[in-house]
Amino acid sequence: MLEKSRGLAAVDCVAYDLEDSVTPAKKAEARTNISRFLNQPRAAGIKEQAVRINAVESGLALDDLSEVLKAEQLDAIVVPKVNSASDLHFVTDVIRHTLSSSAPRIKILALIESAKALSSLSAICTATPLLSGLIFAAEDFALDLSLTRTPSLTEFLYARSAIATACRAYDLPSTIDLVCTAYKGDEGQRILEEECIGGKGLGFNGKQCIHPSQIAIAQKAFAPGEQEVEWAARVMIADEKAAKSGRGAWTLEGKMIDAPVVGKAKATVSRAAMCGINVEAIKKKWSEQEPE
């Protein structure tokens, strides 16, 4: 399975698991295998490589970190069952003690899986400068609250909204939505697309995938669409011209454009560039756009 992951193309992050998918008797072997694997040259299609360690409360996290932090191609640590800031304090202390650099390159992603975690979001988000984002673990959250997952996902609306809002409030770049457990056939792909669109609408900017067939669908859903990017580019171009003439508010196709709209347009264009969209070509196409 480890070697197969090297064949993935254009993936933002691959997370290798030491927690739920590894039985207690195999933990030590899994640590060694993953550490050895992540010392190989990085595959061309993988931007970041992460390891999900065992929860701090399990007593296994120190052994996990001591081994995987030896890996040269490790970019992030995914910490499950983060219930309080102290969990991230522990992981940060181990990273800083293990790595000689005064500014460790390793990022931390925290899994939000319980009511206690949700009520401690502010403390969690400010626990460490290494924190790069939050991930919503819906199945464990449902277990903690005795919820039944339904197709509408309305039972998770409050939790998802709170997580996305916290990430934005504390300027965390990664806001990763729940796993879509359906992935087989046309119906599975339809459900995945609906979940991605819904998550994007709540403020998430990525989604956990459990099968390679989910990657392209998730990436397309979370990337800005062609019309969305063109509109944003037109707003930016026209706004530059409006600013030169001292106009703080103006219209485009009958819609009022002011500072918040321009700010969103800039964010859209920036995100499009990160997704590999040829933003410069689009700007060139609309270079003659004028404010109305």
Side-chain angles (χ1 to χ4, degrees):
M1 290 295 291
L2 293 176
E3 287 298 332
K4 284 180 68 175
S5 71
R6 293 177 60 81
L8 295 172
V11 180
D12 293 320
C13 181
V14 177
Y16 300 97
D17 191 34
L18 287 174
E19 196 201 15
D20 291 344
S21 65
V22 182
T23 61
K26 293 289 185 179
K27 296 288 189 186
E29 181 182 352
R31 291 182 194 112
T32 302
N33 289 342
I34 289 177
S35 181
R36 185 183 301 121
F37 176 78
L38 291 179
N39 272 320
Q40 300 180 70
R42 187 189 304 266
I46 300 175
K47 294 180 182 178
E48 291 187 350
Q49 297 181 130
V51 173
R52 180 171 73 163
I53 62 172
N54 287 279
V56 173
E57 65 183 16
S58 72
L60 300 170
L62 180 58
D63 287 340
D64 291 343
L65 289 166
S66 297
E67 183 62 40
V68 301
L69 288 173
K70 299 175 184 177
E72 294 181 1
Q73 298 298 326
L74 177 68
D75 301 297
I77 294 293
V78 180
V79 187
K81 298 176 176 60
V82 174
N83 287 320
S84 66
S86 62
D87 293 326
L88 298 185
H89 293 161
F90 175 86
V91 175
T92 300
D93 288 346
V94 175
I95 291 173
R96 286 176 168 163
H97 179 76
T98 304
L99 302 180
S100 57
S101 172
S102 58
R105 57 177 174 78
I106 301 295
K107 303 174 183 177
I108 293 176
L109 294 166
L111 277 158
I112 303 302
E113 312 188 28
S114 67
K116 185 176 181 180
L118 204 64
S119 66
S120 303
L121 282 176
S122 179
I124 289 170
C125 288
T126 55
T128 171
L130 302 186
L131 187 64
S132 182
L134 302 179
I135 306 171
F136 180 45
E139 301 307 319
D140 285 274
F141 187 80
L143 176 63
D144 186 50
L145 272 72
S146 298
L147 301 175
T148 298
R149 179 169 177 158
T150 64
S152 70
L153 302 178
T154 52
E155 60 278 358
F156 299 131
L157 179 58
Y158 171 72
R160 294 167 80 199
S161 297
I163 289 168
T165 301
C167 281
R168 183 57 185 160
Y170 293 101
D171 201 25
L172 300 178
S174 296
T175 314
I176 311 301
D177 202 9
L178 46 70
V179 165
C180 177
T181 55
Y183 64 89
K184 293 184 178 180
D186 294 341
E187 181 64 9
Q189 294 186 356
R190 182 192 65 78
I191 293 171
L192 172 62
E193 185 176 17
E194 285 184 357
E195 285 192 13
C196 289
I197 293 171
K200 183 178 179 180
L202 288 173
F204 288 88
N205 58 19
K207 191 170 184 70
Q208 302 168 78
C209 295
I210 57 173
H211 192 272
S213 64
Q214 296 181 318
I215 296 171
I217 296 171
Q219 288 179 335
K220 181 179 179 181
F222 280 97
E226 181 179 348
Q227 292 184 347
E228 186 181 0
V229 178
E230 286 205 353
W231 171 262
R234 291 172 66 191
V235 169
M236 286 180 62
I237 292 166
D239 184 65
E240 291 179 2
K241 298 174 182 179
K244 290 179 180 178
S245 62
R247 296 164 63 187
W250 43 279
T251 61
L252 182 61
E253 293 186 357
K255 298 178 181 178
M256 189 187 80
I257 308 297
D258 57 6
V261 178
V262 175
K264 182 179 179 181
K266 290 179 178 178
T268 298
V269 170
S270 176
R271 190 166 69 253
M274 292 175 64
C275 292
I277 297 172
N278 191 343
V279 171
E280 294 306 317
I282 295 173
K283 287 182 176 180
K284 184 177 181 180
K285 175 183 175 181
W286 292 100
S287 60
E288 300 302 316
Q289 179 67 58
E290 296 287 336
E292 298 170 359

